[in-house]
Amino acid sequence: MRIKEIVLSKATIPVLLAGILGIAAVLYAWQLPPFTSSVQTTNNAFVKGRVTLIAPQLPGYVVSVPVSDYQHVAKGDVLVQLDDRIYLQQIAQAEATLQQQQNVLANFEQNHASKQASVDLANAQLTAAEAALANAQSASSRSDSLLASGISPQSAADVVRQALVQAQSSVAQAQASLSIAQQNLALVDAGLPALQGAVKGAQATVELARINLSNTKIVAPVDGTLGEVTARVGQYVSVGSQLTSVTPPNTWVIANFKETQMFGIAVGQQVSFTVDALNHAKLTGHISEISPAAGSEFSVLKPDNATGNYTKIAQRIPVRIEIDADQPLSTSLLPGMSVEVAVDTALAGTAAPATH
């Protein structure tokens, strides 16, 4: 009986040890006491960069592709050249229309001067007619006095009165001519804004044609390295067709921490991370920004937690990490690389407050 108890106890020891190790592994995996740590880690982290997709702003046939895949380019280098013959003719047409509108506007000055001269002439004619009317009125007054005294005959008085009526008619005619001349001048002046607007419209058309011509030459917006060049000579491309991409050399890391890990993480904290593609080489950086919301809030299809059965899932908070300078391996980081990030939240007291 005692031998059986000894055998049983020897068989139980490995089972107990296995159970203890299993429990310890679970506690360590979930960072439960006594394995709690101030270091928060995540492998949901990637190198990011400003990858710019290159696409045409107008349709056309590709006539030249002077670059190749993964080539380094400088800002302003030509990447793709589209057929520009149509846009050259559009510039010529627009410039001809502009010249025509400018000539019409130049003729306005001559037309305005001519109508102003007509107004001046009508003013002079009115002044002469008013002077003749004054003389006729004086003559009529004298004639009436002589007729009343019997010195002048009635026939002479009739002639003077007829001259007065004719002078009055001449004044009315001169006033009408002046009014017509002034209206003609006002009509010419009223057309000036329309002529100026036509010139500005023609100038805008010329500038638009020049912009379209410049857009046939697709250039690199920044210094960087090209991705795959999909443009081919003779290919017809439409607006928005992806031709290639340009990636500048500056990179950073986006680490998506669980919300349960965010306590103690703040802007300014030092961060260490390892890069899978660099044989798990270790680099350092610091937290520069913390997302203002969980990643799910920025998704196109947001979860509706108000319907159906609810299952609680720890959300992820994106954290931006700027890579420290003067690290030789930092130049080898490429956007999309996987990294593992570690932050010691025990140093939160020395960090700057969290900002977004």
Side-chain angles (χ1 to χ4, degrees):
M1 186 66 178
R2 188 171 182 179
I3 295 175
K4 291 183 178 180
E5 290 179 357
I6 295 174
V7 173
L8 181 61
S9 61
K10 288 182 178 180
T12 306
I13 291 175
V15 176
L16 292 176
L17 291 176
I20 293 172
L21 291 176
I23 294 173
V26 171
L27 293 176
Y28 178 79
W30 289 90
Q31 292 293 294
L32 297 174
F35 300 104
T36 55
S37 172
S38 62
V39 178
Q40 298 294 342
T41 62
T42 182
N43 59 3
N44 189 343
F46 306 92
V47 178
K48 293 292 185 179
R50 292 185 174 87
V51 180
T52 303
L53 300 180
I54 305 299
Q57 298 186 39
L58 41 81
Y61 285 94
V62 177
V63 297
S64 175
V65 184
V67 295
S68 58
D69 298 347
Y70 317 131
Q71 177 181 334
H72 181 76
V73 294
K75 181 179 180 180
D77 288 351
V78 178
L79 306 181
V80 179
Q81 175 66 55
L82 301 181
D83 187 1
D84 59 1
R85 292 176 297 172
I86 294 177
Y87 303 101
L88 286 171
Q89 294 305 313
Q90 287 180 351
I91 287 182
Q93 183 180 21
E95 288 177 342
T97 302
L98 174 60
Q99 184 63 42
Q100 180 182 3
Q101 295 299 334
Q102 289 174 336
N103 291 337
V104 173
L105 181 60
N107 291 337
F108 165 81
E109 298 294 338
Q110 299 178 355
N111 196 13
H112 176 81
S114 175
K115 299 303 181 183
Q116 184 62 52
S118 297
V119 171
D120 296 340
L121 176 61
N123 270 321
Q125 290 174 344
L126 177 60
T127 301
E130 289 174 343
L133 176 60
N135 291 332
Q137 288 173 341
S138 298
S140 177
S141 297
R142 290 193 299 271
S143 176
D144 291 341
S145 299
L146 294 175
L147 180 61
S149 60
I151 298 176
S152 175
Q154 182 65 42
S155 59
D158 292 341
V159 172
V160 173
R161 188 173 294 107
Q162 184 178 2
L164 175 61
V165 173
Q166 185 175 0
Q168 291 173 338
S169 177
S170 296
V171 169
Q173 183 179 1
Q175 289 175 339
S177 297
L178 176 61
S179 178
I180 293 174
Q182 290 174 338
Q183 291 178 3
N184 289 336
L185 178 61
L187 185 62
V188 171
D189 290 340
L192 178 59
L195 296 177
Q196 292 174 334
V199 170
K200 290 182 179 179
Q203 290 173 339
T205 302
V206 170
E207 187 61 27
L208 179 60
R210 289 174 179 169
I211 292 174
N212 286 337
L213 179 63
S214 66
N215 286 336
T216 60
K217 185 180 295 184
I218 303 172
V219 300
V222 293
D223 297 345
T225 304
L226 296 180
E228 182 182 358
V229 180
T230 59
R232 299 290 182 267
V233 175
Q235 175 186 2
Y236 180 82
V237 295
S238 58
V239 177
S241 301
Q242 182 176 339
L243 305 179
T244 183
S245 63
V246 178
T247 304
N250 56 311
T251 56
W252 62 94
V253 172
I254 295 295
N256 301 299
F257 286 96
K258 293 180 180 179
E259 57 185 327
T260 54
Q261 297 177 292
M262 290 302 296
F263 182 77
I265 293 180
V267 172
Q269 282 179 313
Q270 284 299 118
V271 176
S272 64
F273 60 93
T274 59
V275 186
D276 296 357
L278 302 180
N279 197 23
H280 301 283
K282 185 176 181 181
L283 289 89
T284 61
H286 61 276
I287 297 176
S288 62
E289 298 288 343
I290 298 177
S291 174
S296 60
E297 293 299 311
F298 301 108
S299 63
V300 177
L301 299 176
K302 296 181 176 57
D304 187 0
N305 296 328
T307 61
N309 295 327
Y310 174 68
T311 302
K312 184 176 181 179
I313 301 174
Q315 299 299 307
R316 297 275 182 171
I317 309 296
V319 175
R320 176 167 173 151
I321 300 169
E322 297 294 339
I323 302 169
D324 292 339
D326 301 327
Q327 297 183 93
L329 290 178
S330 63
T331 57
S332 301
L333 295 177
L334 301 177
M337 285 184 173
S338 299
V339 300
E340 294 186 12
V341 176
V343 182
D344 190 353
T345 56
L347 302 177
T350 62
T355 57
H356 307 295

